[in-house]
Amino acid sequence: MVPGAWAQTPDDPADQAKAQLAQADKELKAIRAALPDADTRETLTPLFERAMAVQRDADDAQATLQPELDQLDTRLTQLGTVPEGSVEARDVAQQRKALNQQRADIAAAIARAKLLAVDAKQLGADVEKMRVTQLSEDLARKVNSPLSPSLWRQFAHDVPTDLKELGSLYRQAENTARKAIAQHGWTAPIAGLAVALLMFLPLRLWLRAAGRRYAASERAPDGRLRRSGLAVWLLVVGTMLPGLACVVFIGALDAIGAIPPQLQKVVFSIEVATYIAAFITALSAALLVPKRPSWRLLNLDDTAAWHLRKYAWGAAGLTWISIVLMALNRAARTSAITTVAVDGLIALTYMALIIAILVSLGRMHRRQTDEAAAKLEAQAHSDGKAKGPPRRSGWIVVARLAGHVVVAAAVIATLLGYLNLALFVAQQLVWGAVVLMAASLLLKFADDLATWLLCPTSSVGRTVLLTTGLSESRLVQAGVLLSAGLRIGVILLAVMALTAPLGNLSALYGGLDTLSKGIHLGDNLTLKPSSVLYAVLAFLLVWAVMQAFQRWLTDTYLPKTELDAGARNSISTVTRYLGIIAAVLWGLTALGIGFERLALVVSALSVGIGFGLQAITQNFVSGLILLAERPVKIGDWVKLGDQEGDIKRINVRSTEIQVGDKSTLIVPNSELITKTIRNMTMGNAQGRIQIQFTVPLNTDVAAVRQILLDTYTEHVGVLADPAPSVFIDSIANGQVAINSFAYTSGPRAVYGVRSDLYFTMLQKFAAAHIALSSPTDIHLVQDGPPAHDP
């Protein structure tokens, strides 16, 4: 079977891309032809999505053809050019001709793809402008005021016709359902209804109770995640199960053909409305929790929680009814006056609901203010000090202010006849409040989840600490960064949800799709989000591997060698920086930046190095020289100017020296390379003690010499090899200058040992009655004037 399988070669990708371009061209022409008939926002939105699909197909075709073109260019380059005056071989000439023809075809296809992508993008922008214009016209459309009798007379005149249309739609649905049931029976509808009821009542209630039991048990994570996690669980269960129950039941009816084609969009609207209404009710249950105040995330009392829970049910029901009524109006093609009247009634109902919510919030605000004032007054009586005014709840004040402004604008718009504007404003206020409350819940949950996952005391955090070797502070920082990333994602979802009623989600998706294709930074460089993600992952992976290798060198291998601490530190430091360089290079390669572009970056950086980074570069190179040549190393006792101390750490930029008062002197590495430095322990680690003094000429110098040698020998800090020595340095002015030397194990012990020797030497000289010479102190005293002779 293998030869037969080999013979079935797949289609050429270039041919597939060309066919895709031909289909995209036809689709673009179809969109242009359908554009004049699109007179509503509902018909313009699919056209915009089709235009964006054409743009994506053209971009994909271009991405498929570009490697083919590059390959042909490479093959033509390998063939080279024909020298002047020479004749090319026939087979080579034929091959060159075929390659040039293929290149011309592919280059033409790429140019066509680019033109199609530009045309599709421009067409999508035109469709979006038309949709925005129609939205503005709908909101600015003015009808007779609801207080005008002419509006209701016209409504009464058109109602019988609209009722006939609705009745016809109902009879059509009934007949279709009867025929489907007669043909397929009641099995599918009854089974779908049973499954829907099972999902809506027993399963939903059991999952909610199971979530509460787990949150109250000891297995649940400690901290705030218990409450926020339970709230998110209730939100998911309360949203998905009612929506899925509706989808299952409608799917059972649609499976047997019980839904006529004219009602397909109505049925889809019912499913969407069910999900939205379930989301509103589940969100209120998750945030308010009327029966369990201790689990409540909002700062509300029980009375306000019960009232707001009822209003949430009212908002969910009103939203469901408004979506379904709008879909029925479009399906039945009712008159414009009936649509206006229905929109007006829905807008008035929304305003009544908003006013009721504002009244409840106002009462709750007054109760909180009174309670806070009573507490402050009681504290003032007990402490005898006056307290400031009670602090108000900020979100309640903002909600009340926004609600009053929106209600006033909606009432004015309704009285003036702008019913579409009033309905839009009222719906946007309710939907905006729902989205903001959901976003606040998800933000709390994201923060709690991230901090719990990467907490040193959690099971996940302990596992990460054991496997990666990170410190607890780094793990906490990672948790904060993860929380920030999740919160940014929640904010983006909230923005998308807020713009969904405006109908421009397709434009947002188109922008995200364009962003996903990358940002062109040059002729051959495209910065894509996926490339950035791959680069970050590659950098972290290589850096983690090099960190593990460095720890193995420092903790396992190097201590078993004969190298001293300074050499081990040099190897470990160089390995660390080599790992960083390797991780950066690997990340840049994953980003699509080759070494030839890095050369350009380095040449650009050389200008900055020449002006402002010269000192940093000098210290960096000096640090590498210190680590390589090791004129000083960790543990050396060095003297630099008037400062001396132990070298504790050698970095690439600077060196840390601990001086005698235990403070740290940070010296740039260039100072250790370019200036004179005295290394007290480089060639010989021993320390030298020098004691000098003078004695009178009549002193027994042999006794002095013996006392000094005995003093040196008796001290445990003085080395026997090299042996101590005593010399007469000079004899002058009736004094003998004595100079003596002794050695210690290191220069750090010189100061203390010398002090001990001074104490012992002075005691022995005093016991032997040997006096040391004192400096001559000459006082010049001038006699006063002679006494006056009387």
Side-chain angles (χ1 to χ4, degrees), residues 761-785:
M761 181 190 70
L762 291 175
Q763 291 176 0
K764 290 186 176 182
F765 283 168
H769 303 288
I770 297 176
L772 301 180
S773 298
S774 300
T776 304
D777 190 9
I778 301 175
H779 295 273
L780 298 179
V781 180
Q782 183 179 1
D783 293 337

PDB file of all heavy atoms in Angstrom, residues 761-785:
ATOM      1  N   MET A 761      54.388  43.870  77.332  1.00  0.00           N
ATOM      2  CA  MET A 761      55.729  44.459  77.304  1.00  0.00           C
ATOM      3  C   MET A 761      55.879  45.564  78.346  1.00  0.00           C
ATOM      4  O   MET A 761      56.896  45.621  79.076  1.00  0.00           O
ATOM      5  CB  MET A 761      55.997  45.009  75.898  1.00  0.00           C
ATOM      6  CG  MET A 761      57.373  45.644  75.703  1.00  0.00           C
ATOM      7  SD  MET A 761      57.498  46.504  74.121  1.00  0.00           S
ATOM      8  CE  MET A 761      56.402  47.896  74.460  1.00  0.00           C
ATOM      9  N   LEU A 762      54.898  46.433  78.468  1.00  0.00           N
ATOM     10  CA  LEU A 762      54.988  47.519  79.439  1.00  0.00           C
ATOM     11  C   LEU A 762      55.011  46.983  80.864  1.00  0.00           C
ATOM     12  O   LEU A 762      55.733  47.500  81.745  1.00  0.00           O
ATOM     13  CB  LEU A 762      53.825  48.484  79.239  1.00  0.00           C
ATOM     14  CG  LEU A 762      53.862  49.314  77.943  1.00  0.00           C
ATOM     15  CD1 LEU A 762      52.599  50.145  77.810  1.00  0.00           C
ATOM     16  CD2 LEU A 762      55.096  50.210  77.920  1.00  0.00           C
ATOM     17  N   GLN A 763      54.224  45.928  81.143  1.00  0.00           N
ATOM     18  CA  GLN A 763      54.237  45.340  82.477  1.00  0.00           C
ATOM     19  C   GLN A 763      55.610  44.751  82.808  1.00  0.00           C
ATOM     20  O   GLN A 763      56.149  44.917  83.920  1.00  0.00           O
ATOM     21  CB  GLN A 763      53.151  44.272  82.580  1.00  0.00           C
ATOM     22  CG  GLN A 763      51.735  44.826  82.563  1.00  0.00           C
ATOM     23  CD  GLN A 763      50.693  43.712  82.564  1.00  0.00           C
ATOM     24  OE1 GLN A 763      51.043  42.540  82.574  1.00  0.00           O
ATOM     25  NE2 GLN A 763      49.417  44.103  82.564  1.00  0.00           N
ATOM     26  N   LYS A 764      56.217  44.046  81.835  1.00  0.00           N
ATOM     27  CA  LYS A 764      57.524  43.428  82.090  1.00  0.00           C
ATOM     28  C   LYS A 764      58.621  44.489  82.224  1.00  0.00           C
ATOM     29  O   LYS A 764      59.542  44.354  83.045  1.00  0.00           O
ATOM     30  CB  LYS A 764      57.865  42.439  80.986  1.00  0.00           C
ATOM     31  CG  LYS A 764      57.011  41.182  81.004  1.00  0.00           C
ATOM     32  CD  LYS A 764      57.492  40.177  79.980  1.00  0.00           C
ATOM     33  CE  LYS A 764      56.694  38.882  80.086  1.00  0.00           C
ATOM     34  NZ  LYS A 764      57.183  37.861  79.130  1.00  0.00           N
ATOM     35  N   PHE A 765      58.567  45.542  81.422  1.00  0.00           N
ATOM     36  CA  PHE A 765      59.558  46.607  81.558  1.00  0.00           C
ATOM     37  C   PHE A 765      59.449  47.295  82.925  1.00  0.00           C
ATOM     38  O   PHE A 765      60.468  47.636  83.551  1.00  0.00           O
ATOM     39  CB  PHE A 765      59.392  47.629  80.456  1.00  0.00           C
ATOM     40  CG  PHE A 765      59.948  47.171  79.119  1.00  0.00           C
ATOM     41  CD1 PHE A 765      59.661  47.867  77.950  1.00  0.00           C
ATOM     42  CD2 PHE A 765      60.775  46.060  79.043  1.00  0.00           C
ATOM     43  CE1 PHE A 765      60.168  47.459  76.736  1.00  0.00           C
ATOM     44  CE2 PHE A 765      61.277  45.638  77.822  1.00  0.00           C
ATOM     45  CZ  PHE A 765      60.977  46.334  76.662  1.00  0.00           C
ATOM     46  N   ALA A 766      58.228  47.485  83.360  1.00  0.00           N
ATOM     47  CA  ALA A 766      58.050  48.112  84.668  1.00  0.00           C
ATOM     48  C   ALA A 766      58.576  47.205  85.784  1.00  0.00           C
ATOM     49  O   ALA A 766      59.190  47.678  86.754  1.00  0.00           O
ATOM     50  CB  ALA A 766      56.575  48.438  84.875  1.00  0.00           C
ATOM     51  N   ALA A 767      58.357  45.863  85.658  1.00  0.00           N
ATOM     52  CA  ALA A 767      58.853  44.937  86.680  1.00  0.00           C
ATOM     53  C   ALA A 767      60.380  44.879  86.673  1.00  0.00           C
ATOM     54  O   ALA A 767      61.028  44.683  87.721  1.00  0.00           O
ATOM     55  CB  ALA A 767      58.264  43.548  86.463  1.00  0.00           C
ATOM     56  N   ALA A 768      60.987  45.038  85.507  1.00  0.00           N
ATOM     57  CA  ALA A 768      62.459  44.985  85.397  1.00  0.00           C
ATOM     58  C   ALA A 768      63.086  46.348  85.595  1.00  0.00           C
ATOM     59  O   ALA A 768      64.317  46.480  85.429  1.00  0.00           O
ATOM     60  CB  ALA A 768      62.856  44.413  84.046  1.00  0.00           C
ATOM     61  N   HIS A 769      62.325  47.362  85.904  1.00  0.00           N
ATOM     62  CA  HIS A 769      62.808  48.723  86.146  1.00  0.00           C
ATOM     63  C   HIS A 769      63.548  49.268  84.925  1.00  0.00           C
ATOM     64  O   HIS A 769      64.622  49.852  85.029  1.00  0.00           O
ATOM     65  CB  HIS A 769      63.714  48.799  87.393  1.00  0.00           C
ATOM     66  CG  HIS A 769      63.050  48.313  88.633  1.00  0.00           C
ATOM     67  ND1 HIS A 769      62.058  49.011  89.288  1.00  0.00           N
ATOM     68  CD2 HIS A 769      63.232  47.158  89.364  1.00  0.00           C
ATOM     69  CE1 HIS A 769      61.651  48.344  90.353  1.00  0.00           C
ATOM     70  NE2 HIS A 769      62.350  47.192  90.434  1.00  0.00           N
ATOM     71  N   ILE A 770      62.991  48.973  83.792  1.00  0.00           N
ATOM     72  CA  ILE A 770      63.535  49.501  82.540  1.00  0.00           C
ATOM     73  C   ILE A 770      62.649  50.645  82.109  1.00  0.00           C
ATOM     74  O   ILE A 770      61.433  50.457  81.879  1.00  0.00           O
ATOM     75  CB  ILE A 770      63.609  48.419  81.460  1.00  0.00           C
ATOM     76  CG1 ILE A 770      64.562  47.297  81.889  1.00  0.00           C
ATOM     77  CG2 ILE A 770      64.045  49.008  80.123  1.00  0.00           C
ATOM     78  CD1 ILE A 770      64.629  46.134  80.926  1.00  0.00           C
ATOM     79  N   ALA A 771      63.272  51.799  82.011  1.00  0.00           N
ATOM     80  CA  ALA A 771      62.501  52.987  81.642  1.00  0.00           C
ATOM     81  C   ALA A 771      62.651  53.254  80.161  1.00  0.00           C
ATOM     82  O   ALA A 771      63.747  53.102  79.593  1.00  0.00           O
ATOM     83  CB  ALA A 771      62.985  54.193  82.447  1.00  0.00           C
ATOM     84  N   LEU A 772      61.562  53.633  79.566  1.00  0.00           N
ATOM     85  CA  LEU A 772      61.574  54.023  78.161  1.00  0.00           C
ATOM     86  C   LEU A 772      61.831  55.509  78.065  1.00  0.00           C
ATOM     87  O   LEU A 772      61.445  56.286  78.942  1.00  0.00           O
ATOM     88  CB  LEU A 772      60.239  53.670  77.497  1.00  0.00           C
ATOM     89  CG  LEU A 772      59.847  52.192  77.533  1.00  0.00           C
ATOM     90  CD1 LEU A 772      58.502  52.002  76.835  1.00  0.00           C
ATOM     91  CD2 LEU A 772      60.893  51.320  76.865  1.00  0.00           C
ATOM     92  N   SER A 773      62.488  55.893  77.004  1.00  0.00           N
ATOM     93  CA  SER A 773      62.804  57.307  76.824  1.00  0.00           C
ATOM     94  C   SER A 773      61.543  58.089  76.520  1.00  0.00           C
ATOM     95  O   SER A 773      60.656  57.626  75.786  1.00  0.00           O
ATOM     96  CB  SER A 773      63.810  57.484  75.684  1.00  0.00           C
ATOM     97  OG  SER A 773      65.019  56.828  75.989  1.00  0.00           O
ATOM     98  N   SER A 774      61.506  59.270  77.135  1.00  0.00           N
ATOM     99  CA  SER A 774      60.383  60.167  76.877  1.00  0.00           C
ATOM    100  C   SER A 774      60.863  61.299  76.004  1.00  0.00           C
ATOM    101  O   SER A 774      62.032  61.710  76.073  1.00  0.00           O
ATOM    102  CB  SER A 774      59.827  60.728  78.196  1.00  0.00           C
ATOM    103  OG  SER A 774      59.390  59.675  79.027  1.00  0.00           O
ATOM    104  N   PRO A 775      60.043  61.852  75.187  1.00  0.00           N
ATOM    105  CA  PRO A 775      60.468  62.981  74.361  1.00  0.00           C
ATOM    106  C   PRO A 775      60.803  64.184  75.244  1.00  0.00           C
ATOM    107  O   PRO A 775      60.204  64.399  76.290  1.00  0.00           O
ATOM    108  CB  PRO A 775      59.240  63.240  73.477  1.00  0.00           C
ATOM    109  CG  PRO A 775      58.101  62.653  74.217  1.00  0.00           C
ATOM    110  CD  PRO A 775      58.643  61.479  74.965  1.00  0.00           C
ATOM    111  N   THR A 776      61.826  64.925  74.833  1.00  0.00           N
ATOM    112  CA  THR A 776      62.272  66.103  75.587  1.00  0.00           C
ATOM    113  C   THR A 776      61.240  67.189  75.492  1.00  0.00           C
ATOM    114  O   THR A 776      60.796  67.544  74.387  1.00  0.00           O
ATOM    115  CB  THR A 776      63.611  66.595  75.043  1.00  0.00           C
ATOM    116  OG1 THR A 776      64.560  65.516  75.093  1.00  0.00           O
ATOM    117  CG2 THR A 776      64.129  67.776  75.857  1.00  0.00           C
ATOM    118  N   ASP A 777      60.838  67.724  76.658  1.00  0.00           N
ATOM    119  CA  ASP A 777      59.825  68.786  76.714  1.00  0.00           C
ATOM    120  C   ASP A 777      60.500  70.056  77.180  1.00  0.00           C
ATOM    121  O   ASP A 777      60.921  70.172  78.339  1.00  0.00           O
ATOM    122  CB  ASP A 777      58.698  68.389  77.668  1.00  0.00           C
ATOM    123  CG  ASP A 777      57.522  69.345  77.562  1.00  0.00           C
ATOM    124  OD1 ASP A 777      57.525  70.198  76.639  1.00  0.00           O
ATOM    125  OD2 ASP A 777      56.578  69.218  78.388  1.00  0.00           O
ATOM    126  N   ILE A 778      60.727  70.971  76.310  1.00  0.00           N
ATOM    127  CA  ILE A 778      61.450  72.207  76.606  1.00  0.00           C
ATOM    128  C   ILE A 778      60.443  73.324  76.763  1.00  0.00           C
ATOM    129  O   ILE A 778      59.607  73.540  75.866  1.00  0.00           O
ATOM    130  CB  ILE A 778      62.459  72.533  75.494  1.00  0.00           C
ATOM    131  CG1 ILE A 778      63.469  71.385  75.339  1.00  0.00           C
ATOM    132  CG2 ILE A 778      63.166  73.855  75.770  1.00  0.00           C
ATOM    133  CD1 ILE A 778      64.425  71.571  74.194  1.00  0.00           C
ATOM    134  N   HIS A 779      60.484  74.013  77.897  1.00  0.00           N
ATOM    135  CA  HIS A 779      59.623  75.166  78.153  1.00  0.00           C
ATOM    136  C   HIS A 779      60.492  76.412  78.207  1.00  0.00           C
ATOM    137  O   HIS A 779      61.448  76.462  78.997  1.00  0.00           O
ATOM    138  CB  HIS A 779      58.865  75.001  79.480  1.00  0.00           C
ATOM    139  CG  HIS A 779      57.903  73.860  79.473  1.00  0.00           C
ATOM    140  ND1 HIS A 779      56.622  73.961  79.030  1.00  0.00           N
ATOM    141  CD2 HIS A 779      58.056  72.562  79.872  1.00  0.00           C
ATOM    142  CE1 HIS A 779      56.013  72.809  79.140  1.00  0.00           C
ATOM    143  NE2 HIS A 779      56.886  71.930  79.662  1.00  0.00           N
ATOM    144  N   LEU A 780      60.251  77.413  77.443  1.00  0.00           N
ATOM    145  CA  LEU A 780      60.976  78.692  77.446  1.00  0.00           C
ATOM    146  C   LEU A 780      60.198  79.672  78.295  1.00  0.00           C
ATOM    147  O   LEU A 780      59.055  80.027  77.967  1.00  0.00           O
ATOM    148  CB  LEU A 780      61.123  79.212  76.012  1.00  0.00           C
ATOM    149  CG  LEU A 780      61.930  78.299  75.074  1.00  0.00           C
ATOM    150  CD1 LEU A 780      61.971  78.908  73.679  1.00  0.00           C
ATOM    151  CD2 LEU A 780      63.342  78.082  75.589  1.00  0.00           C
ATOM    152  N   VAL A 781      60.849  80.138  79.392  1.00  0.00           N
ATOM    153  CA  VAL A 781      60.208  81.071  80.331  1.00  0.00           C
ATOM    154  C   VAL A 781      60.977  82.367  80.291  1.00  0.00           C
ATOM    155  O   VAL A 781      62.211  82.389  80.482  1.00  0.00           O
ATOM    156  CB  VAL A 781      60.165  80.506  81.768  1.00  0.00           C
ATOM    157  CG1 VAL A 781      59.494  81.505  82.700  1.00  0.00           C
ATOM    158  CG2 VAL A 781      59.461  79.167  81.773  1.00  0.00           C
ATOM    159  N   GLN A 782      60.296  83.398  79.998  1.00  0.00           N
ATOM    160  CA  GLN A 782      60.936  84.722  79.928  1.00  0.00           C
ATOM    161  C   GLN A 782      60.737  85.463  81.242  1.00  0.00           C
ATOM    162  O   GLN A 782      59.603  85.531  81.738  1.00  0.00           O
ATOM    163  CB  GLN A 782      60.328  85.516  78.762  1.00  0.00           C
ATOM    164  CG  GLN A 782      60.987  86.866  78.563  1.00  0.00           C
ATOM    165  CD  GLN A 782      60.375  87.632  77.382  1.00  0.00           C
ATOM    166  OE1 GLN A 782      59.455  87.126  76.767  1.00  0.00           O
ATOM    167  NE2 GLN A 782      60.903  88.825  77.126  1.00  0.00           N
ATOM    168  N   ASP A 783      61.895  86.020  81.794  1.00  0.00           N
ATOM    169  CA  ASP A 783      61.782  86.774  83.060  1.00  0.00           C
ATOM    170  C   ASP A 783      61.066  88.086  82.816  1.00  0.00           C
ATOM    171  O   ASP A 783      61.163  88.678  81.727  1.00  0.00           O
ATOM    172  CB  ASP A 783      63.160  87.059  83.632  1.00  0.00           C
ATOM    173  CG  ASP A 783      63.856  85.784  84.075  1.00  0.00           C
ATOM    174  OD1 ASP A 783      63.125  84.801  84.332  1.00  0.00           O
ATOM    175  OD2 ASP A 783      65.097  85.767  84.131  1.00  0.00           O
ATOM    176  N   GLY A 784      60.381  88.558  83.852  1.00  0.00           N
ATOM    177  CA  GLY A 784      59.661  89.822  83.752  1.00  0.00           C
ATOM    178  C   GLY A 784      60.616  91.011  83.828  1.00  0.00           C
ATOM    179  O   GLY A 784      61.829  90.860  84.054  1.00  0.00           O
ATOM    180  N   PRO A 785      60.147  92.237  83.657  1.00  0.00           N
ATOM    181  CA  PRO A 785      61.013  93.440  83.730  1.00  0.00           C
ATOM    182  C   PRO A 785      61.558  93.620  85.148  1.00  0.00           C
ATOM    183  O   PRO A 785      60.957  93.174  86.118  1.00  0.00           O
ATOM    184  CB  PRO A 785      60.053  94.571  83.340  1.00  0.00           C
ATOM    185  CG  PRO A 785      58.707  94.039  83.651  1.00  0.00           C
ATOM    186  CD  PRO A 785      58.767  92.572  83.424  1.00  0.00           C
TER     187      PRO A 785
END
